[in-house]
Amino acid sequence: AKERGRGNWLRYADGMERPASAHARLGGDLRRALDEGEFRIVYQPIVSLDDGGIVGVEALVRWEHPDRGLVSPADFIPAAERTGLIVPLGRWVLRETCRQAAAWLAEFGPDVLEKAAPNVSVRQLHDPDFVADVAAALADSGLPPHRLVLELTESAVLRGQHVSRVLHELHDMGVRLALDDFGTGESSLSLLRAFPAAIVKLDKSFVDGIELDEPDTPAAHARQAVARAVAQLADALGLETVAEGIENQVQADRLLRLGYHVGQGYHLGRPMPPERLTEIFAARRVR
Ligand code: C2E
Ligand code: CA
Ligand code: CA
Ligand code: CA
């Protein structure tokens, strides 16, 4: 649930009042939250559309504020990016996700969980320590590199030579890269040539309405055509695909027919605390 408009700091953060001091205040608040351990990670299953098995989890950060309750990332990630706090916050998300994934793998094995995927902001890619941080998170947790997927948006990846070198270093380490929100950027196709991606995540905007039998508008028809074309292109390039934001079974069936074998969305599993996933994995463990 969106928490928009609950506290004054949100109005300030939107720039409606005293933006400079509000900016500083939210930045300071985020710093304090990180120091106080107020961030949590929820994990959303990434699911085989063929057999319903969980093939991975996406790590999504939450802020459990003492007064404001659970704050959505949409309400604080932009501020964390502006202030630079996304670098230490993202480092924490990376380390914690590797630790949790390694613990699940040790307990349940790779038949129950293949990989874990935190989100990475462009600011992190420009941090000179980023590649070393990833290597340390893997080494300290014992998570094998190919079980880590870093989710990056197209806009993050388009930023020039330095980012390109970082991405190739990660690729060479064996870490897998996913292009998030695919299809929403300006140069999705040319990007696929230059970027060492393993996974393409079809944006939810192409999944919305895809279940309609007679696409009633040219836009709806185009969404289906794009979804099908992205699946075929990914296939031809040897990339895996994930269809995002699946909210009902008709969408899941339709996407399977369009060539998607893996999906994510409320219909397949909500983001949930790690304890809940541990219960699910325990119930699925083959004895
Ligand atoms: P995203 O990476 O595209 O993540 C998917 C978002 O869609 C998540 O929202 C997820 O809860 C939501 N979602 C999943 N299935 C469905 C569905 O069936 N229907 C609908 N309506 N929504 C669905 P969330 O957790 O609020 O995160 C929003 C965005 O915040 C993420 O979008 C990502 O860009 C960013 N974010 C979250 N955690 C992190 C993080 O640790 N670091 C960074 N840099 N960004 C993060
Ligand atoms: Ca993502
Ligand atoms: Ca996405
Ligand atoms: Ca998104």
Side-chain angles (χ1 to χ4, degrees):
K2 284 274 145 56
E3 310 290 333
R4 198 166 288 290
R6 287 177 93 195
N8 281 335
W9 60 278
L10 273 180
R11 277 191 286 123
Y12 294 151
D14 288 343
M16 292 167 68
E17 288 176 60
R18 294 186 300 162
S21 70
H23 182 160
R25 188 139 57 93
L26 180 54
D29 222 10
L30 287 166
R31 177 78 249 179
R32 184 197 50 77
L34 188 59
D35 294 340
E36 301 283 318
E38 289 175 8
F39 291 104
R40 305 276 175 269
I41 299 175
V42 290
Y43 295 87
Q44 184 174 29
I46 298 174
V47 174
S48 163
L49 296 177
D50 293 308
D51 62 16
I54 296 176
V55 297
V57 290
E58 177 174 359
L60 296 159
V61 73
R62 298 286 181 268
W63 181 6
E64 204 173 286
H65 193 281
D67 310 324
R68 298 176 195 125
L70 219 54
V71 183
S72 150
D75 291 334
F76 65 84
I77 291 285
E81 288 176 337
R82 275 197 311 276
T83 58
L85 196 84
I86 193 68
V87 170
L89 174 59
R91 186 185 299 125
W92 176 79
V93 169
L94 172 73
R95 293 189 67 84
E96 177 56 21
T97 301
C98 288
R99 189 203 60 73
Q100 179 64 73
W104 276 329
L105 273 158
E107 192 170 357
F108 303 113
D111 290 343
V112 169
L113 180 68
E114 289 173 21
K115 53 203 179 215
N119 292 281
V120 174
S121 287
V122 63
R123 279 292 284 261
Q124 291 176 265
L125 296 177
H126 284 285
D127 178 56
D129 297 329
F130 184 67
V131 174
D133 285 344
V134 173
L138 291 169
D140 293 349
S141 63
L143 186 71
H146 66 282
R147 304 217 173 270
L148 179 64
V149 177
L150 301 180
E151 296 201 0
L152 308 155
T153 57
E154 295 171 73
S155 55
V157 169
L158 278 171
R159 309 277 179 88
Q161 282 304 306
H162 174 71
V163 165
S164 172
R165 191 167 63 246
V166 167
L167 297 178
H168 281 92
E169 282 176 34
L170 293 166
H171 175 77
D172 292 344
M173 277 167 57
V175 170
R176 291 195 275 180
L177 305 175
L179 268 180
D180 206 352
D181 303 345
F182 190 77
T184 59
E186 303 265 317
S187 5
S188 303
L189 299 187
S190 57
L191 201 60
L192 283 181
R193 270 184 324 193
F195 173 79
I199 299 162
V200 159
K201 298 190 78 173
L202 180 73
D203 190 69
K204 180 184 191 310
S205 58
F206 299 101
V207 170
D208 290 341
I210 206 158
E211 72 275 27
L212 304 173
D213 268 328
E214 303 259 335
D216 46 352
T217 62
H221 192 266
R223 279 198 295 273
Q224 283 202 17
V226 170
R228 183 189 290 110
V230 168
Q232 287 171 349
L233 182 69
D235 227 35
L237 297 174
L239 306 173
E240 295 174 30
T241 50
V242 177
E244 287 195 279
I246 298 177
E247 294 184 342
N248 58 61
Q249 187 57 42
V250 189
Q251 289 176 337
D253 293 342
R254 178 65 48 95
L255 285 158
L256 189 58
R257 255 183 292 147
L258 289 172
Y260 291 84
H261 294 274
V262 177
Q264 184 178 350
Y266 294 166
H267 176 66
L268 304 169
R270 295 239 168 198
M272 55 187 105
E275 302 76 35
R276 177 74 193 108
L277 262 169
T278 302
E279 291 169 12
I280 291 173
F281 292 147
R284 292 188 177 195
R285 173 163 44 191
V286 186
R287 291 197 166 272

